[in-house]
Amino acid sequence: RTVLVTNAHASSLALKLQHTDIGAHLDAVISAHSLGLPKEDTAFWARLQQIEPYQPEETLFIDDNTAVLDSARRAGLRHLLFVAQPDSRQASRTTADFPALRRFSDLLPAPRRQRN
């Protein structure tokens, strides 16, 4: 499953989904506001597990906030990536704590070459 888990409030989230096509690629969208805890709180992950069961050792979690990634790590999530450039108008960032993801297309398999 592909799930967007966000700290965004439902109203701003609805606006973002209205103006992008990301919703078409998601199985679910969960706002931390509906769980009563931000993603930075380690207890958030147990609450998320109750409504969206996941295997921490098999789940890929991607975020642009190192505090959120630290919380996910403490909660047992194993595969964590840091978004290096969440805003295309800003410079790319790095962190020594997590591998950086430059482009989401880097997660996709390379196109197959057709044989002639």
Side-chain angles (χ1 to χ4, degrees):
R1 289 180 52 84
T2 304
V3 179
L4 174 64
V5 180
T6 179
N7 280 341
H9 190 273
S11 58
S12 63
L13 177 59
L15 186 62
K16 290 176 186 180
L17 292 172
Q18 179 183 344
H19 291 286
T20 68
D21 190 33
I22 193 169
H25 304 282
L26 302 171
D27 296 307
V29 177
I30 300 170
S31 170
H33 289 269
S34 67
L35 299 180
L37 292 169
K39 296 184 295 182
E40 291 85 348
D41 190 320
T42 304
F44 166 86
W45 302 98
R47 288 193 186 172
L48 177 63
Q49 183 71 265
Q50 293 173 351
I51 64 166
E52 183 65 47
Y54 64 92
Q55 298 298 319
E57 64 280 354
E58 296 176 10
T59 297
L60 171 62
F61 180 68
I62 304 166
D63 207 284
D64 64 348
N65 182 324
T66 57
V68 170
L69 291 166
D70 283 332
S71 172
R73 179 187 285 157
R74 287 191 306 275
L77 278 81
R78 186 170 168 196
H79 305 285
L80 304 170
L81 294 176
F82 174 71
V83 178
Q85 193 175 15
D87 184 337
S88 61
R89 296 170 291 174
Q90 301 291 323
S92 184
R93 307 169 300 151
T94 61
T95 177
D97 297 327
F98 302 98
L101 177 65
R102 304 275 177 230
R103 294 180 199 87
F104 283 105
S105 61
D106 292 343
L107 296 173
L108 304 174
R112 289 186 169 182
R113 298 171 97 193
Q114 290 185 355
R115 296 178 190 208
N116 295 331

